[in-house]
Amino acid sequence: KPRLLQGSPSMTDPIPTLSTVIGWIYFFAWSISFYFQVWVNWRRKSVIGLSFDFLAYNITGYICYTTFNCALYWNATVRADYERDTGSKNIGVQPNDIAFAIHALVITIFTIYQCFIYERANQKVSLIARIILGCMWLFMIIVTILPATGVIDWYQGLTFLAYTKMFASFVKYCPQAWINFKRKSTVGWSI
């Protein structure tokens, strides 16, 4: 329901509508960006040049992001924890956020599937990435156990998952940049 502007009963607040429109533009713009890599892999029938470390960080991040958004949007307990912790009833998660999170997770899973069916040479997730990802997954398990045992509330646990997503987003391009530098090529990576 649109909110009326202060002092003017005839004008509604355009901000919620603008937020929704921009949110769906964001959804379509970022969602389209995923298909270029899928298409490059399909066209070449190869994933050589695509960093498996990037994909491992990406899937980990989108698992966290999807879990956070879906739980905050649909779970009454999480929303109550959010309201108590922040003092706000406005969760900020909109349908376009849910759509993007689920879409990003599914398309990332599909891209990983392509790694099993297309030529990949000797590519694999690096040892350093496996160590970092192992720490990330251990952290994710701990921040899931803590609210389940009542040590922290569910919103706080999900917030830690959001931090994990932010970390994944921060580091995921580094291995791709490194592989491009080592190969002196961006072939196989959709820029």
Side-chain angles (χ1 to χ4, degrees):
K1 177 179 172 183
R3 297 177 304 181
L4 295 179
L5 288 176
Q6 216 59 357
S8 176
S10 63
M11 293 185 63
T12 58
D13 184 355
I15 299 300
T17 302
L18 182 63
S19 175
T20 299
V21 169
I22 291 172
W24 283 107
I25 290 170
Y26 150 92
F27 166 79
F28 286 110
W30 278 105
S31 292
I32 288 168
S33 74
F34 283 81
Y35 287 92
F36 293 107
Q37 186 64 54
V38 169
W39 184 77
V40 165
N41 297 344
W42 173 79
R43 185 176 50 87
R44 296 174 64 236
K45 303 292 187 254
S46 171
V47 292
I48 295 172
L50 173 60
S51 169
F52 287 14
D53 292 3
F54 168 82
L55 288 174
Y57 290 124
N58 223 19
I59 191 71
T60 300
Y62 283 122
I63 287 169
C64 293
Y65 186 62
T66 303
T67 302
F68 178 88
N69 280 339
C70 290
L72 191 56
Y73 192 76
W74 279 307
N75 188 290
T77 302
V78 173
R79 284 195 311 273
D81 290 344
Y82 174 85
E83 185 177 340
R84 186 180 58 253
D85 291 353
T86 66
S88 173
K89 288 186 180 198
N90 181 4
I91 61 170
V93 176
Q94 297 182 19
N96 62 279
D97 299 312
I98 299 295
F100 177 76
I102 292 170
H103 176 266
L105 181 61
V106 168
I107 206 78
T108 300
I109 290 168
F110 185 77
T111 306
I112 291 170
Y113 167 73
Q114 288 182 312
C115 294
F116 290 98
I117 64 169
Y118 293 144
E119 181 184 3
R120 61 182 175 155
N122 62 349
Q123 292 185 145
K124 60 185 177 187
V125 177
S126 71
L127 177 62
I128 187 80
R130 285 186 298 211
I131 292 168
I132 292 169
L133 286 158
C135 292
M136 290 171 70
W137 277 90
L138 178 62
F139 180 74
M140 290 162 57
I141 291 166
I142 290 168
V143 301
T144 303
I145 291 171
L146 291 176
T149 57
V151 175
I152 60 176
D153 67 39
W154 282 105
Y155 174 69
Q156 291 166 335
L158 288 166
T159 299
F160 286 120
L161 287 183
Y163 295 149
T164 306
K165 163 58 174 141
M166 289 188 330
F167 178 75
S169 294
F170 180 72
V171 300
K172 71 182 182 181
Y173 291 105
C174 296
Q176 186 62 57
W178 178 248
I179 197 173
N180 292 350
F181 173 76
K182 280 191 341 185
R183 295 173 69 236
K184 304 293 188 246
S185 171
T186 58
V187 172
W189 170 248
S190 174
I191 297 179

